[in-house]
Amino acid sequence: MTLRAEPLADDLPERPRVLLVDDDEVNLLLTSVALQDQGFAVTEASSGEKAIRVLADWLPDIVVLDAVMPGLDGFETCRELRVLPGYESLPVLMLTGLDDDASITRAYEAGATDFFVKSTQWSLLAGRLRYLLRASRTRVELERSKSRLARAQDLARMGSFDWRRGQDGPVFSIEGLRVFGIGPGEQPSFRSLLRMVPEEERKAFLELTHSAMDRSTVLATDIHARLVDGRQRIVHIEAEPEFNEHGNLVGYTGIVQDVTDRRLAEDRIRHLANFDTLTGLPNRRQLIWRAERALEHGRRLGHEVALLLIDLDRFKLINDTLGHGAGDELLMEVSRRLRSCVRHSDQVLESSLESVGVRSHRTLEAVGRLGGDEFVALLPEVVDEADAERVATRILEVMRKPIMIGLQECFVTASVGIAIFPRDGASVADLLRNSDIAMYSVKSAGRNSSSLYRPNLAGKGREKLELESALHKAIERNELVLHYQPKIDVRGARMVGAEALMRWKRHGILVPPGDFIPLAEETGLIIPLSEWAIREAARQARIWQDNFGFAESIAVNLPSRLFERTDLVEYIHNAVTTYGVPHHAIQLEITETNLMQQLQNVIPSLHRLNEIGVEISIDDFGTGYSSLAYLTTLPISELKVDRSFVRDLGMTPQSSAVVTAIIALARSLGLRVIAEGVENLRQMEVLHRLGCGIMQGFLFSKPQPPEDIERWLQQTVLPKKAPWIGQASSSDDVEPARATRARESRAKPFGKLPIA
Amino acid sequence: MNGNGVTVLDAEALQRLLELDPDGRSRLLERVLRAFESSAKRLGEQFRDARTRGDMAGIRHVVHTLKSSSASIGALALARICAEIEASIRSESVAGLPERLDAMDRELKAVLQAVTPMLSTPGTPT
């Protein structure tokens, strides 16, 4: 609000208008002339009656009245004009005789502003008139500013008070009383005012008041007050001490103001600034503030503080598939659950913390939301890391129950990283970073767990997750490809199948399988990856069937967790049906170790797969410790001799002994045997001699894109141009493995290959 | 006559009047003296009437009015006598009042005798 500058008191009208009333013609004339000479505009009236008539429709700046006049004298005239509306504060100067004390008193009683002893010194009169006009102007301004102040105070719900030593209570202005809901005229005692303050605040308020008075200092505080009508208000009190000439405190003068609305607004602003609007949990700012206070306490009292970083697993997936509304609902429910895991305190503590006492840091404990699906649990005092881990476990447990979003049941898990002060960091920033690293180590290890920070984790987390995230997108971006390595029947120099091997073309470069397959297995991405591989292999089988009458199997490597899926059979069925190839076009490879670890869970799937014609091959055979008794009961078709035995063939007697044993075992079980990692002719010859006629390895072909396989078949195998062709086929005294023989009848001749 | 006028009217007071109208453009002195003459003649009649009727309030009004207007034109003796009469009436002390009233009547006539010739010749008296 800007106030327009009022004219200064000195800034009188150019020619102030004077009504001059005198029954004496001589005086009237002389005074009039003298005043005009001094710059006044004079209107003359020769009697009181005439003056009243003139005033009925004309307002002068000042009236000069002769006191003694026939008829309506000066006193009566003054009295009459005072009751006219608008004339209450018009300056009126009464002219009296020098020795006329009685008239002076009467003049004031009649409402005259001042008196003036008649004199022939006219310039004195003019000076007095100017003074009166100035005083009047000042008074008008004072009245105006007083009423403005009252109005402003009223608007600001503010009022003033005075308190003198020895008085029972402060004396309030009308506006001041209104602040306390008290009508004008009442003056409440100090005791009755104090009763409005809630009991628990009273003592502190009294102490504050006494200490201000004892030290004669300014008093400024906010109190809660319960008004007579029951309203709860917050009243701001501010008072300054007043001293007498000896410097002794004589009282206080100050203001009271109803600041309830402002405080509510401030509280709301503070709440918005410190709390997450969606979940109502402390936000990043508030959390960091709390954590800093917690560290201060920890440092001072020598205890540990734990910071738990909680990140929801695959929240983005929920947000993307169910929409942001559902995502928000989920976050709210998650927040409720997380709160239940700690002694969550909602207070914004900025001002009150210090006063609560030594254990006050306990009230810092909270779960907050850092943003997105990231939460933090702050444990301001833990005995040891196990303490923090217990809370982490509780967090993982409360997430276990499904969350209903609309009619949809959602399962959400979380990854929790724990950092402990002071061991894992001396600052909040360090602790946040290290809890983040610990959290990412959980993500990498398959999520839904918690981990303490360890220095060796640093640097691994983010990088791995980036790779994971990129791998996740690899499918939709068509960055994954299958390369194929032929399975060769060396005697007939024929391809009797192929193993599909996954490759990742990231930014145009092939990522080695060793760099992403273990990661895919750790993170569970291996499942969508394997599913994609099944479909892709089926698609390729169809292409090869069309191109050269391929009727064998393409083997896809599957982790055991995929076999645990009840819908695997259906999935394969759908994949082969989509591309119009028979079920046996897909063969599944599972490593021996994998199979044995999950035997119980995997067996039902194996049986069902076998029933529909999907063959199972045991990869890396010989490395695990297979229970032979089990092997006999499993519906498997093929054993693949681990490459480590093949490598040593002809170099160590043990390796050929193992291979001989595997072949013997396979024979007794009626299984096909295939050797992988065959790199040279010598290995080929030994294997062939030992009775293994189906092989796979660089000697024949490295894993290649499907088009290259076709080219290789046309240019190398069919024209029998490779060095290995003819070598093994000459030794025909070796009996081929059963399955190979069985398969021979199904195999179509290569003659159907289109030859360029 | 001139000399008489000078004695009943105070020169200093007249000078103050002249200062209000330095160049004589508004003929202030003449207007003031005319106003005094008419008012004083009227007051003189009212005075004599009131005296005949023994009307003290009427007398008081006359002397009050004459007191200030005679002072204004420099008739200081008349103003002083008026003030004395007004004071004694106010204090209700009648001792010496008739003599004072006689003196006032005499002085008023003298002042009017001094004023009237000053009005016959327009302009500033010399």
Side-chain angles (χ1 to χ4, degrees), chain A residues 23-27 29-30 33-34 37 66-70 97-100 118 120-122, chain B residues 16-17 19-20 28 31-32 35-36 38-39 42 61 64-65 67-69 71-73 87 90:
Chain A
D23 63 315
D24 175 32
E25 288 168 56
V26 175
N27 241 332
L29 177 63
L30 275 173
V33 168
D37 190 49
D66 184 19
V68 182
M69 288 187 291
L98 178 66
D99 49 356
D100 200 355
K118 277 188 178 176
T120 50
Q121 300 277 62
W122 292 283
Chain B
R16 271 206 299 276
L17 283 176
E19 278 166 12
L20 284 174
L28 177 68
R31 284 165 58 206
V32 168
F36 179 81
S38 74
S39 145
R42 187 167 27 90
H61 171 69
H64 174 82
T65 311
K67 178 184 68 180
S68 55
S69 54
S72 299
I73 60 157
R90 190 164 57 219

Side-chain angles (χ1 to χ4, degrees), chain A residues 213 239 372 587 667 669 730:
Chain A
M213 277 163 58
Q587 186 188 38
R667 273 200 191 137
L669 294 173
S730 57

Side-chain angles (χ1 to χ4, degrees), chain A residues 12-26:
Chain A
L12 294 174
E14 215 172 313
R15 283 181 77 78
R17 291 162 306 177
V18 182
L19 175 62
L20 186 62
V21 189
D22 201 326
D23 63 315
D24 175 32
E25 288 168 56
V26 175

Side-chain angles (χ1 to χ4, degrees), chain A residues 305-359:
Chain A
V305 179
L307 205 70
L308 278 63
L309 187 70
I310 305 148
D311 193 281
L312 301 186
D313 299 330
R314 300 197 177 79
F315 174 71
K316 195 185 166 298
L317 201 68
I318 289 164
N319 236 355
D320 290 350
T321 52
L322 299 180
H324 290 286
D328 284 354
E329 257 183 73
L330 186 113
L331 288 174
M332 286 193 275
E333 176 57 23
V334 165
S335 302
R336 271 190 289 275
R337 293 186 186 185
L338 290 178
R339 274 170 86 123
S340 70
C341 297
V342 298
R343 280 178 297 260
H344 183 88
S345 168
D346 257 342
Q347 291 163 269
V348 184
L349 298 141
E350 288 184 27
S351 51
S352 57
L353 182 63
E354 295 313 316
S355 57
V356 188
V358 186
R359 313 313 288 174

Side-chain angles (χ1 to χ4, degrees), chain A residues 588-641:
Chain A
L588 300 179
E589 289 191 11
I590 180 169
T591 64
E592 182 193 6
T593 318
N594 233 309
L595 173 70
M596 288 303 147
Q597 278 168 356
Q598 301 292 329
L599 202 55
Q600 292 307 325
N601 302 327
V602 167
I603 287 174
S605 260
L606 296 185
H607 279 288
R608 295 220 313 282
L609 287 164
N610 198 53
E611 278 162 25
I612 64 164
V614 176
E615 293 188 342
I616 311 294
S617 172
I618 308 298
D619 208 356
D620 304 340
F621 194 79
T623 53
Y625 301 91
S626 296
S627 152
L628 295 178
Y630 267 127
L631 266 183
T632 56
T633 63
L634 291 177
I636 55 178
S637 312
E638 185 181 275
L639 295 181
K640 287 183 92 169
V641 179

